[in-house]
Amino acid sequence: METLTSYFARIKKPLSAISIAAAVALVALLAVGAPARAQSGPTVTDGGVDNNFPDGMVFRVTAEGDSPIEKIRLKYKILPDGTSANGVPDFEPSTRVQTQFELGGGDIYLSPGLVVEYYWEVTDGSGATAKTETQSFFYDDSRFEWSTVESDGVTIYYYSGSEEDAQSMHDVAVEALAEMSALLDTEIPFEVQVWTYDSVEDMRPALVRRSESYESQIITAGVRVATNTVLVLGNVSFDTLRHELTHVVTAEAGESALGTLPAWLDEGTAVYGQNDPEGFRDAVERAFDRGNILSVREITAYPGDPDKVELFYGEGWSLVSYLVDTYGEEKFAELFAAVKSGKRIDSALEAVYGFDQDGLEDEWRDAHGLPARETPAPTPEETDQPAQATEDDNGGGSSALLIVGIAVGILALAALVAAGGIAAAKRL
């Protein structure tokens, strides 16, 4: 029988072999190296936004990580209808980066009242990414302390005058938007802002930058500067406000990525939205008497001649009045819908009324006792061209009601101004 001592002696060698094998395995693992500490991805901190009105805004960011930061992007869009865009700041790759991105200034116009929705996204050298929470920034005219009157989808911003005056403007704005929305069978799906300035000097920095020659000849009483934003002088008539708010409605009813309103239809409807067409009606009536009416095709775009501005607006108003009075509001709304769907103005008129711009002009002239105009057929190049866009102050299709202030001395230099290519009176 085997003793306990002999048993342990017999298994001693195998146990030693097993221990040695385990030790060798452990040494091998140590030689390769222990698993590295899990590397964390980058972190990014939103540093806020500085308002530098009227020169735009500055977005700040800090990013850091174990691996150098290789990419930083500001992802943003301008509400209510802006498309998404990227801002790329300058920086040197490092494990810790502080940088900034400037939006606006120079040739980029940003209107007061716009809202920027944004977030930061960073990528480090390992390919790991991080981003901040989405934030929004309200870009206001920080030169003034603004008060508001707000309800029914309209906000009036004012820093001068009484609350009673602002409330009166608000009531007119709500009424104008409702009337024109009903005319064009459309709805405004966003809040509308009206920024009221006390003087031309106060409002000028809030407008698109113009040449000195333009500024010397034109006083802007009101302008739609963005899809949902209108600027007006507080001491002008309510019809200026009605005119510009009508542009908010015409853009929503007739403008899209596919279609653009001709100038006579856009501005003619804006004048139609006023309580009184004032001097525009007088201008077109004088032209009827003198027989110097502009052709409809001449006014698909804004005139470059300051002497034709009042007549341009008057003819637009008269043409719109003829269409509405003769064929009714329903067909007029259908015309806007046809343009928005992508039809050029001649095709849209044909689809809704059965005539193109030449046919409209013949009917309209006949209604005012004028003979039909001898209009040459459009060339293939003209046929292939889309209708002219309204003047675009910020990418959103803006328009202006302008008061032409041309001094006698400036008239003496008109030929020189024209040679310079100034389209000075695109808006009245």
Side-chain angles (χ1 to χ4, degrees):
M1 185 174 67
E2 186 178 29
T3 65
L4 185 62
T5 301
S6 62
Y7 171 78
F8 279 109
R10 182 171 58 83
I11 66 171
K12 182 177 180 181
K13 185 175 182 179
L15 286 174
S16 298
I18 292 172
S19 299
I20 292 172
V24 170
L26 178 60
V27 171
L29 287 173
L30 292 174
V32 172
R37 178 177 59 87
Q39 186 176 21
S40 61
T43 60
V44 54
T45 303
D46 183 354
V49 187
D50 296 335
N51 186 342
N52 291 340
F53 188 92
D55 297 317
M57 60 199 82
V58 178
F59 297 81
R60 303 185 185 280
V61 66
T62 300
E64 55 187 320
D66 295 332
S67 180
I69 304 300
E70 298 287 348
K71 294 181 181 179
I72 299 179
R73 296 287 186 272
L74 177 70
K75 308 278 189 174
Y76 70 93
K77 64 179 177 179
I78 298 176
L79 304 180
D81 55 358
T83 56
S84 297
N86 290 330
V88 182
D90 293 328
F91 71 97
E92 291 293 330
S94 175
T95 55
R96 190 175 190 277
V97 174
Q98 283 185 310
T99 187
Q100 64 186 39
F101 177 76
E102 297 182 18
L103 179 62
D107 295 331
I108 299 176
Y109 171 73
L110 299 175
S111 67
L114 65 81
V115 175
V116 180
E117 192 175 81
Y118 74 95
Y119 65 89
W120 288 98
E121 183 177 87
V122 302
T123 304
D124 68 13
S126 71
T129 63
K131 66 179 184 178
T132 62
E133 295 293 327
T134 299
Q135 304 286 344
S136 62
F137 178 73
F138 181 72
Y139 180 65
D140 67 334
D141 187 338
S142 54
R143 298 173 300 157
F144 306 106
E145 293 292 332
W146 297 91
S147 299
T148 61
V149 172
E150 179 180 3
S151 66
D152 300 320
V154 176
T155 301
I156 305 294
Y157 291 87
Y158 67 101
Y159 62 89
S160 179
S162 67
E163 182 178 354
E164 183 180 1
D165 291 339
Q167 185 63 56
S168 296
M169 292 189 70
H170 176 273
D171 295 343
V172 169
V174 171
E175 178 184 74
L177 288 168
E179 289 176 355
M180 300 315 294
S181 294
L183 173 66
L184 300 181
D185 191 25
T186 193
E187 295 182 0
I188 304 301
F190 43 75
E191 297 285 318
V192 175
Q193 305 177 19
V194 178
W195 294 74
T196 308
Y197 286 86
D198 188 52
S199 67
V200 173
E201 290 73 23
D202 282 355
M203 188 164 73
R204 184 167 287 131
L207 301 173
V208 176
R209 291 178 175 84
R210 304 291 193 181
S211 67
E212 291 185 9
S213 298
Y214 183 97
E215 297 290 356
S216 67
Q217 298 181 62
I218 301 298
I219 296 175
T220 302
V223 57
R224 181 180 72 94
V225 292
T227 300
N228 64 336
T229 305
V230 163
L231 313 184
V232 295
L233 293 176
N235 57 358
V236 298
S237 70
F238 284 149
D239 266 345
T240 300
L241 179 61
R242 290 178 177 274
H243 182 109
E244 300 309 329
L245 288 173
T246 299
H247 280 305
V248 173
V249 183
T250 58
E252 183 64 25
E255 299 276 347
S256 72
L258 301 174
T260 305
L261 296 170
W264 67 263
L265 182 57
D266 187 24
E267 292 296 349
T269 306
V271 178
Y272 187 85
Q274 300 174 201
N275 280 336
D276 187 346
E278 302 170 338
F280 302 138
R281 174 175 51 204
D282 297 336
V284 74
E285 287 178 352
R286 288 194 300 270
F288 281 137
D289 292 339
R290 298 169 181 171
N292 62 344
I293 289 289
L294 302 172
S295 74
V296 175
R297 293 191 182 278
E298 283 183 89
I299 55 176
T300 55
Y302 294 89
D305 184 351
D307 294 334
K308 295 180 179 179
V309 171
E310 282 201 341
L311 178 55
F312 159 73
Y313 279 89
E315 280 197 34
W317 163 78
S318 184
L319 287 163
V320 167
S321 298
Y322 175 78
L323 288 173
V324 175
D325 294 344
T326 305
Y327 296 99
E329 294 183 1
E330 184 176 348
K331 281 189 173 294
F332 191 63
E334 290 176 8
L335 176 62
F336 276 75
V339 173
K340 187 170 186 174
S341 72
K343 292 183 183 296
R344 294 183 173 90
I345 184 59
D346 284 312
S347 298
L349 285 166
E350 288 276 9
V352 177
Y353 296 104
F355 49 68
D356 61 6
Q357 290 183 104
D358 297 328
L360 168 61
E361 181 170 359
D362 288 344
E363 284 197 15
W364 172 69
R365 288 172 66 92
D366 182 65
H368 291 280
L370 297 177
R373 179 188 299 274
E374 293 184 6
T375 305
T379 65
E381 290 77 12
E382 292 173 331
T383 303
D384 291 338
Q385 293 298 317
Q388 294 292 322
T390 57
E391 180 185 6
D392 192 351
D393 289 334
N394 66 338
S398 47
S399 60
L401 181 64
L402 302 175
I403 301 172
V404 181
I406 304 179
V408 173
I410 294 174
L411 285 174
L413 297 174
L416 179 59
V417 172
I422 294 179
K426 285 188 176 181
R427 291 285 189 277
L428 191 59

